[in-house]
Amino acid sequence: MGALAAAIAVGLGALGAGVGNGLIVSKTVEGIARQPELKGQLQTTMFIGVGLVEAVPIIGVVIALMVM
Amino acid sequence: MSQYENMIKRQRKWMFYLLAILVLGAGFTPYTSIFLGLLLGSVVSFYNLYLLQKKIVDFTEAVAKEEKARGLGTFSRFAAAALAIVIALRFEEDVNIIAVIIGLMTSYPVIMIDFAMFKNKD
């Protein structure tokens, strides 16, 4: 049961991170393609977005390893 | 220097200050295992922060030059966090595992406080 719990924790965490990162990256690419001069600002927004989205899956990985 | 480069410099500076405080705590206080855990977690968190900053620069440069973009390194960061936990589980008597988890999250307050303080100044 521990392995199953770990798999569900990591899997659902990574699923959420994948969707979130996908949305952030797609909008950033669209923005840079339209206005390359705004690259610095878009990099900052993307950095903060990706950083905060990945906090929860990292906790998921930690919990999964502790459960196993 | 761009807004992003300034932010990277500030975040690196604050992470180094934090690591210095944790090294002093591990060396000079009786709570060695807690500070070692915080140190291990913070080092991995700093590596994750560096990797994220570098990968975002590489990615956006590739997009701006219309080259093929590589990934963002998500799984490298997960693997780094897993490595920290495996080390903490292996040396359970020397390293406090709760402190490692708190240490792993140190880069997020740094990002958020830096953003909140400097969003209107840059």
Side-chain angles (χ1 to χ4, degrees):
Chain A
M1 284 308 260
L4 197 62
I8 290 172
V10 176
L12 290 182
L15 187 76
V19 173
N21 275 347
L23 289 172
I24 292 168
V25 169
S26 76
K27 293 291 175 192
T28 309
V29 169
E30 211 175 289
I32 292 177
R34 279 187 194 183
Q35 285 170 297
E37 69 273 10
L38 283 182
K39 196 176 74 182
Q41 247 175 323
L42 290 169
Q43 273 175 334
T44 309
T45 312
M46 183 180 170
F47 170 75
I48 291 164
V50 173
L52 296 185
V53 158
E54 283 186 1
V56 175
I58 285 178
I59 290 283
V61 169
V62 168
I63 289 173
L65 274 169
M66 285 172 72
V67 165
M68 281 170 79
Chain B
M1 196 177 282
S2 77
Q3 181 190 3
Y4 185 68
E5 284 164 352
N6 283 331
M7 187 187 70
I8 286 179
K9 269 194 170 174
R10 284 194 308 267
Q11 287 172 353
R12 196 177 299 158
K13 185 180 79 178
W14 286 114
M15 286 302 285
F16 274 127
Y17 284 160
L18 198 68
L19 286 176
I21 291 170
L22 292 179
V23 169
L24 287 179
F28 295 108
T29 61
Y31 310 106
T32 315
S33 72
I34 291 177
F35 275 105
L36 281 180
L38 282 172
L39 197 59
L40 175 66
S42 299
V43 167
V44 173
S45 186
F46 192 18
Y47 169 71
N48 282 350
L49 187 72
Y50 161 77
L51 201 65
L52 184 62
Q53 290 166 344
K54 185 178 169 302
K55 289 278 183 179
I56 283 182
V57 169
D58 292 349
F59 185 85
T60 47
E61 293 287 336
V63 170
K65 290 178 185 164
E66 298 184 6
E67 290 169 357
K68 191 174 186 304
R70 315 240 349 233
L72 282 176
T74 305
F75 279 94
S76 308
R77 288 193 285 281
F78 289 178
L83 178 68
I85 292 298
V86 168
I87 291 172
L89 288 173
R90 173 71 181 75
F91 301 102
E92 212 162 356
E93 62 277 8
D94 298 319
V95 178
N96 188 333
I97 195 156
I98 303 295
V100 176
I101 298 172
I102 295 170
L104 273 174
M105 294 294 117
T106 44
S107 63
Y108 300 108
V110 170
I111 292 174
M112 284 188 268
I113 293 171
D114 179 83
F115 178 67
M117 281 175 71
F118 289 93
K119 69 179 173 187
N120 295 327
K121 288 187 184 171
D122 278 335

